[in-house]
Amino acid sequence: MIDEEAIYNYDVFISSRNTDLDNKWANWLIKEFENWSVPKELIKKGFQKRIGRVFKDSEESSENININTEKALIHSKYLVVICSKNSKKSERIENEIKIFKELGRSERIVALLIDGEPYEAFPNELTFIEENGTIKKIEPLAADVRNKTDQKEKETKKIALLKILSCILACNFDDLRQREKRREKRKFRNKFIIFSCILVVLSLATILIWDYNRLKITYYNNFVYQYGLPKGIGKLQKSMYLKRAVTYIFEEQRRVLKQVKRVNSFGRLRDDENNFNISVWIPETDVSGNVKRIICKDHNNKIVMIREYSSDLKIIEFQNEFNLPFVSDGSSIVRYEVEYNDKGYITNEFYYRDSWNTFVSDIDGFYGKRYEVDNNGMIITEYGINMEGKNIINRNGVFKIKLYYDRLYSIIKKEFLDSENNLFYNTHKDYGYSYIEKEYDKYGNLIKKSFFDNNHNRIIPLNSFYSSVYYELDSFGNISCANYLDSKDEYIHFSYSKCYFKYDELGNNIYTYFQNMSNQNAYHTNGYSICSIKYDNNDNIIEKIYYDANTNISFMKDGYSIKRIEYDNNFNKISVSYYGNSTNKILNNYNYHKKLVMYNDHNRITNISYYDINDDKINAYVYSHEYLGYESYASHLIEYDKKGNIIENAYLDENGNYKNISSGYAICRYSYNDIGLPTEETYYDSNENKTVYLNSKKWFYGFHKLTRDYDDNGNVIKILFYDVNDNLYLADGKFEYWIFDNAKCAGLIYEYNNSTRSKIIYLGTNQKPINAAKGISIIKFENVYIDEVKQIIDKDIKCNSFQKESYYDVNENPILVYGYHNNYAGDNNGEKISIFTGINNELVINTNEAYGCAYLIYKYRNPFNNKDELTYYDTNNNNTLNSFGYYKRINTFDDKGINIISREYYDIYNKPTFLADRFYKVEFIYDSFRNLIYEKHYDTNNNMISDSVDKYALSIREYDNNNRMIKCSFYDLNNNLTESRFGYAKMTIDYYSNGKSYTNYYNKNNAIIK
């Protein structure tokens, strides 16, 4: 009988032999007891929460039980006997079982069979009990952990454990097993959930880490700068990118922008012709992510320029790869000072020409720009500003530009507006319209472009021959055909109305041909119908071949059929050669077959040489922007200082000797100050002796050396001229701002008002004011506005800003030149005006032979009637005849607004009159290629008349298929050949297969003039 009053210090007493196998299972059992928890359902029914303390006896040093072990056995609630084949041999185990039975706890003895059969392993005391003095055989409560072929070891252990536990807890084994199964399922489910969560977290972390480290590619239609870094706008799907001619790809890694690439649908880099031919932008940032610089490259991986930022991002310097100032063609702007809005977009920028923040203006006369931007940084309004940061009107009368965008941020409309927010007709030769509209396909490719005037009528702009162009595209977004339309959306009447393009597998244009409105092959104005193009592996053009309308190789206008180009390892263009066919070397119209170019380590040109078909050097005809014409030489050598400034230009003949060019020198040397501004230039002849500069087309000439001084703002304040003996010299020249010739001075002093030139003083050899010409020693300049001008003339004018030019003698007393003291000159808002006033600012007559009036007004071409108008007025604001005998001159342009088709002259009563007794009207007729074919002179009755100066009434010109003139003839009123003022009656030009030409001149009897 169980003693319920006993005090149990242990829940379980484990009896086992001290062998490895027995100890293994005893320890296993102890561990399982420690880790096992009672099911909550049983706890709620009053069962204990856990298996309590466990005592393990495995001492076999003596068969007798020591007192501590016996106490533990007496105070244990259950006895678990580890049974193996050797258990029967242990008297100690037998004694422990016997004691436990004597305590009346026979029902609380459980056997764990670990080895052998029951009859081999169970101690004898386990197999019987004594009831009322009678021995009774029993089957002991036992759990079996022996290996079973039909059961996994884990499951065997689990069942054995549950059997023991059911005995200890005094609960039903099957009930406990079911509860345990349910709990195991719950545990498995919970573990699965936990594992799944961990797996999800790990996967998410892995994805995030992978995503953080991977190179991310994003496609955009365009980009802006935000806090100096490119930011993509107009996000595109990859499927759209594959259908576009140009896309901006942003590559980002670890949240850092690595680079931006401008590519076509094949992933090939495409240089932006409107942005210095850049196709790659590579930002460099500091540890905080602030931009330090952006390296801009072209498709050849050549650095075009570097945008260098100050630490506060307010200064942007433009440099080349050698940290020298980057200066683009036609501009000296090398530095911006900018302001940002609260989103990091530029809203103001000032232009400087050096690191000393010397103001410089752009081609529009602006010293900076002000922008209104939208939330994505796109410019919606653009203003030009002066040095004080105030909005001003540009030289053409435009006050601001308004931009509109579609959903992808492509420009759909660009407007020119005046200060009253009205549409303004921009008269600049590169524009000639009020606004432009653009249309795009669903992928963002441009498909149509149209031009409009300020009355919303379609017009043909000044820089084009069409009013609208409609583009047909291939499946990759490339233009396959350009259709040129007039203002009525009909094909334009021009030498060609369509231009077709074909591309290779990389998207390079390899074939271009022109057709007229009848779909027949037509000619470009450069004298060819078809052009095929070849490229190297880096998409650089290496060959162009020109064909006629019959697909035969043909000479184009410049005298060649094939042009081949070679590059060095840095992709610098080092050779350009010309051919008549694939092997026939020829001299082009500029008298050379090949041009070779050499570069220094900074990729700057150091040598340009010209060669004939035998690869011997030859004197070529090279256009000079300085001379404003063609020079003849075989080589041009250029030297630089360490800062990249040109320090010498030299010209050589075909024998390698120095050669004097048309400006009278062979060598020009330059010096600079510390900030790179030119301070001195000197000229030398072919013998390297000092010589004088003789280019009379320039401002001043006839000097050997010129020096310049500057103020702290970088403005020129003094120029001096020297002779070959380094003495100050009276150089010849023209006045800078007007047409008077034969001026002489040894130098000039300039004064400024806020970096705007306000005074010029002409100096003698003693560096004191001198009478340079017409009594002029000093010229003063002042910017004035329409309010002042309206007090002088009584006319309704649009021109609203003027520069006032005034003349003074050596003592700075006002003087009259050609009868006037002040000249107010304005050129904006579609008008060009000159007003002449006296010392008291009263209207006076300009007696110069080119004028003969008090003021004149020139109105630029009106897009509505394609006419411009020049009129002259006297001091009473009345119409007046100028020095050539007319009041008004009207030029009428063709429907394209390009060629003048008639010029007419009128008297003060607006009746036809003669130009200096020559003719009333001259008529010009052109072919579809814009070639002049007829010139006719008329009297006031519209009858043809023989011009008393030109000595002909009619001239006729003829051209070949390459638009090259082949004949020019002059006729009298009876259509007979007549000798013109040029000394001949007819001229013919023959062209040879090598592209060369020969000209014959004839008298009125058709005889060659020798």
Side-chain angles (χ1 to χ4, degrees), residues 218-227 229-237 240-241 244 246-252 257 260-261 343-345 372-380 403-412 440 443-444:
T218 316
Y219 306 94
Y220 292 96
N221 181 55
N222 207 336
F223 76 87
V224 296
Y225 289 100
Q226 185 177 32
Y227 290 115
L229 281 170
K231 171 195 169 185
I233 54 172
K235 192 172 183 180
L236 306 170
Q237 299 297 323
M240 295 178 68
Y241 147 65
R244 289 170 53 89
V246 173
T247 298
Y248 292 90
I249 292 182
F250 276 61
E251 296 181 358
E252 186 179 290
L257 180 63
V260 178
K261 298 190 297 185
K343 293 187 176 181
Y345 302 120
E372 295 175 3
V373 298
D374 64 11
N375 291 331
N376 282 310
M378 291 298 289
I379 297 170
I380 55 176
L403 300 166
Y404 302 86
Y405 304 89
D406 62 11
R407 62 182 180 83
L408 291 177
Y409 281 93
S410 296
I411 295 175
I412 57 174
Y440 303 84
Y443 303 109

Side-chain angles (χ1 to χ4, degrees), residues 130 139 588 732 764:
E130 184 177 350
E139 287 287 337
N588 62 19
D732 298 298

